[in-house]
Amino acid sequence: MSAIPRSEVKLEETWNLEDLFKTEADYDARIKEIESDASAFAEKFEGKVTDAAAALEALKDYEKLYEKIIPAGTWVSLMQSEDQTNSDSQMRAAKFGSVMAKTGAKLSFFESELSQLPEEELKSAMDQSDEFRIYLKDVLRFKPHKLHPEVEKTLAAYQSTLDAPYDLYNVTKLVDIQFPDFKADGESFPNSYNLFEGEWETDPDTEKRRAAFKSFYEKLADYQHTTAKTYDMHLQIEKTDADLRGFKDVFESLLFNQEVDRELYDRQIDLIMSELAPHMRKYAKLLQKVHGMDRMTFADLKVPLDPSYEPKITIEESKKYIFDALSVMGDDYSEMLKRSYDERWTDFAQNKGKSTGAFCSSPYGVHPYILISWTGSMEDVFVLAHELGHAGHFYNAHNYQGIFNARPSLYFIEAPSTMNEMLMANHLLQSTDDPRFKRWVIASIVARTYYHNFVTHLLEAAYQRKVYERIDAGESVNAGVLNSLKRGVLEEFWGEGVTIEEGAELTWMRQPHYYMGLYPYTYSAGLTISTQVSKRILEEGEPAVQDWLKVLRAGGTKTPVELAKMAGVDITTDQPLKDTISYIGGLIDELEKLTEEIESAEVK
């Protein structure tokens, strides 16, 4: 069961990166082309972006250059993600970062000159070009926060250094930390990030699960001080940037690009912490009762409600679940799903050094790529549906929008992904009346879709907010502070019914999202939207589907509030969130009812 080297995985379980670059030589040629084009762009336009006409002319060349950079950056990133221990990939990524820093410094004049244009010139350019209207709107919005051109150039030159904390975090996590075997039931078992998250966290054997937990967190503890210092370095960079640019705090700085106000951010955290907690505590008690555990611990929260009913699903078998559940999205969407398998868009392999979790990368002009470590559980099918939601989003947005109009606010980014999880759940629920199967499906929704997005990521967000409040107060953090903050959030949410055992406070060490701004809370924000839209699709059918496809195709041309409104959801009020929390509570009530029904039938 221990992870194998990347060189030993089956080709059919890996992604085909040749759609980006067929050879290393092709990639090297692209890098030289980017460097040459950047120099030519600077020579042609530096000091000459003086009016709307010049701005639009430069933007056309800038767009072409950007379209060359994106596939190169994606190729480097994916090569590194598939095996962080590969020294060639590490060095290639470092070199790419250096080249991009130099290129960024060379091109930094452009946005500086754009931001120095009079407002009327920028608005004139916006009126003349739908293609660049969103880009120019962002330039206009950011105008008050732009620094002197020479300062911007210097910061751009240091970009790879400023990004170093995230790289250091990944090296510590995926290269340096080697987990020892652990013992349970008289046997020895291997452990790793992917094994713990993909196998042991959900293992129905309580002794094995808790032993894996203890072993995993004891090893994390050895690296807590280095990881905390790395994170503090990242936080101080964000704080300095926010201060230099005149934002009142880090929150305002990070929410600025999301185009949402602080009220939406705080509401998402506060309402879930207070109103979802009672439902999830009831779910924890149900798990404890069904599994006959003497006490409920943090290590037990991800155990399946009915593990004996959990089918093992091969990659090939996953196609039927994916195609059947998501076919409601129409023929074009279904064709994309088929292509994702046929053309090897997804990396399913489990190997040493592979990035943890799952993600979708969608380079403009190519096709999306998905990373997942396939274990064969139903959870994997939900995860794959989730990542295909991202793929479907950008597949549509890229087909209808230019490169600068395709990407929506981070606030909205998790709505299309969680929508696919809801469509998967709805499809499975409609496929049978068998109580045990229904309980299994609903438990999968609660344990995977809502636990992951509304609990795991939301508790990360609540913790992250406390961290940033500390940073805004002029303080720093270390392992002791981070452990205390994380433990406090976990204890507040789970109450007295769940024991937060030693090690649980180190959960903050597992999540790369903390290096991506205010990302964790957006999972629950996206799922709030997708829950409401999926209910519309169940009730209204095709009209709701068509509305959703229009949202996907809109890409980044609308704000999160506008995109949600297009789908029939008003996120300026707390009603969608309250409705979603109520829906989760209803699912947990249904689990209790089905469990009583099943247990009564078994007694008879």
Side-chain angles (χ1 to χ4, degrees), residues 181-253:
D181 291 354
F182 67 93
K183 289 187 176 179
D185 303 315
E187 289 186 66
S188 185
F189 301 92
N191 213 349
S192 69
Y193 257 103
N194 279 320
L195 282 172
F196 181 70
E197 294 181 356
E199 301 273 355
W200 307 133
E201 242 184 342
T202 56
D203 196 289
D205 184 323
T206 299
E207 183 183 342
K208 190 191 297 182
R209 187 176 62 253
R210 290 178 180 176
F213 180 97
K214 185 173 185 292
S215 170
F216 181 83
Y217 281 101
E218 281 178 349
K219 177 51 66 172
L220 282 193
D222 291 342
Y223 292 83
Q224 62 181 306
H225 300 292
T226 300
T227 308
K229 188 61 184 175
T230 301
Y231 183 38
D232 185 58
M233 195 184 342
H234 171 76
L235 293 167
Q236 299 304 332
I237 290 169
E238 287 184 314
K239 175 60 176 169
T240 301
D241 186 73
D243 289 346
L244 284 174
R245 297 190 181 282
F247 290 102
K248 70 178 183 181
D249 52 30
V250 180
F251 294 102
E252 185 182 53
S253 171

Side-chain angles (χ1 to χ4, degrees), residues 393 412 546-555 563-564 566-567:
H393 186 189
F412 194 83
Q546 289 305 314
D547 282 348
W548 188 241
L549 286 171
K550 287 174 187 173
V551 169
L552 301 185
R553 292 165 186 163
L563 288 169
M566 286 173 66

Side-chain angles (χ1 to χ4, degrees), residues 46 101 104-106 108 112 148-158:
E46 190 164 8
K106 196 173 291 182
S108 67
S112 291
H148 186 280
E150 286 303 315
V151 177
E152 294 288 357
K153 184 175 181 178
T154 302
L155 288 174
Y158 272 105

